[in-house]
């Protein structure tokens, strides 16, 4: 019962239709997210491990720098949408809010790992920022969820698993593992929402396809993944600058890119894209991963 005479609130919840925001999984995912919050002060053993050689530490710091700016974009997108979803869909608002809180924590732990040995942060590449800008600029909830959660955070699941496995120090491995757990939920919600929406509105697939193509075209003249980040991933997975190790590191990063591609194709197939299109669309995804 709304008493007459009060002002309209400044926040306009224009996402007010169920199918435009909903996923059956939302209440369960929110409960899971609330139960899985972790405290950076105690969940990570910040004192573990010995200092790395400088060139290896520099590679870790560059990767962390890249993660921080990607997490920052991943925070802004759900935070903005949280203000636009009608409060009737409470669980979706809660999920977006806790997702933003997850990303804020990821920004924190990656920043703290970067600063752990007092080295200056690495480079934020122009191509990477161009890629993130196209994410932040997407005004449609389902399209943003597709580009960010299904494709971008989906690819990050592989990246974080890679860092958990090949990180040269315990703190890097721990921060990657904890962020990975949260990201799996973000991907699950994006995927569940889009499965729901394509089921009631099959023509959405054409718009999803167009969104990937539009983003690809917008980024065609940019470098994509910063070369410093690629090199840092190779060195990090190599564990040293010895030619033999660097060769192995390079192979591992190639393997990572194949794993990301397979993961994207699997998720596209779940949304009903036929096999020839999943390969084509996955290949058009930003080279920045996110
Ligand atoms: Fe994150
Ligand atoms: Fe995320």
């Amino acid at each position: 019962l709304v008493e007459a005479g009060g002002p309209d609130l400044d926040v306009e919840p224009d996402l007010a239709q169920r199918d435009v925001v909903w996923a059956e999984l939302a209440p369960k995912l929110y409960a899971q997210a609330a139960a899985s919050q972790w405290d950076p002060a105690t969940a990570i053993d910040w004192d573990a491990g010995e200092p790395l050689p400088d060139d290896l530490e520099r590679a870790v710091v560059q990767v962390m720098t890249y993660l921080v700016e990607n997490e920052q974009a991943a925070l802004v997108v759900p935070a903005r949408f949280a203000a636009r979803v009608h409060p009737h869909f409470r669980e979706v608002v809660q999920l977006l809010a806790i997702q933003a809180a997850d990303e804020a924590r990821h920004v924190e732990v990656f920043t703290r790992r970067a600063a752990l040995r007092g080295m200056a942060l690495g480079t934020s590449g122009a191509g990477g920022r161009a890629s993130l800008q196209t994410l932040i600029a997407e005004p449609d909830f389902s399209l943003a969820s597709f580009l960010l959660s299904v494709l971008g955070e989906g690819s990050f699941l592989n990246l974080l698993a890679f860092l958990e496995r090949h990180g040269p120090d315990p703190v890097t491995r721990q921060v990657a593992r904890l962020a990975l757990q949260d990201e799996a939920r973000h991907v699950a919600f994006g995927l569940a929402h889009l499965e729901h929406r394509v089921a009631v509105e099959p023509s959405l697939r054409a718009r999803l396809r167009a969104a990937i193509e539009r983003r690809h075209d917008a980024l065609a003249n940019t470098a994509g993944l910063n070369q410093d980040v690629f090199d840092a991933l190779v060195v990090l997975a190599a564990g040293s600058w010895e030619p033999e190790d660097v060769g192995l590191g390079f192979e591992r990063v190639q393997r990572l890119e194949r794993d990301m591609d397979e993961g994207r194709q699997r998720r596209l197939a779940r949304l009903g894209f036929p096999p020839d299109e999943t390969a084509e669309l996955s290949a058009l995804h930003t080279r920045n991963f996110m």
Side-chain angles (χ1 to χ4, degrees), residues 71 74 99 103 106 153 182-183 186:
E71 297 290 351
Q99 185 168 332
E103 307 302 12
H106 301 170
E153 293 175 311
D182 295 335
E183 291 306 332
H186 307 168

Side-chain angles (χ1 to χ4, degrees), residues 251-279:
E251 265 171 46
R252 286 173 169 164
V253 174
Q254 302 277 86
R255 171 83 238 176
L256 166 65
E257 293 192 305
R258 281 200 301 277
D259 290 347
M260 286 175 166
D261 177 43
E262 279 170 28
R264 284 193 299 268
Q265 290 199 46
R266 209 170 47 240
R267 290 179 197 101
L268 287 163
R270 272 184 61 180
L271 297 180
F273 287 97
D276 54 325
E277 282 189 42
T278 60

Side-chain angles (χ1 to χ4, degrees), residues 104-141:
R105 206 169 44 236
H106 301 170
V107 170
E108 177 191 338
V109 296
F110 294 144
T111 305
R112 285 176 70 172
R113 171 58 193 89
L116 196 60
R117 307 291 178 204
M119 209 174 255
L121 283 175
T123 311
S124 157
R129 283 206 310 286
S131 180
L132 295 176
Q133 172 53 30
T134 58
L135 269 188
I136 291 171
E138 178 54 65
D140 181 283
F141 181 78

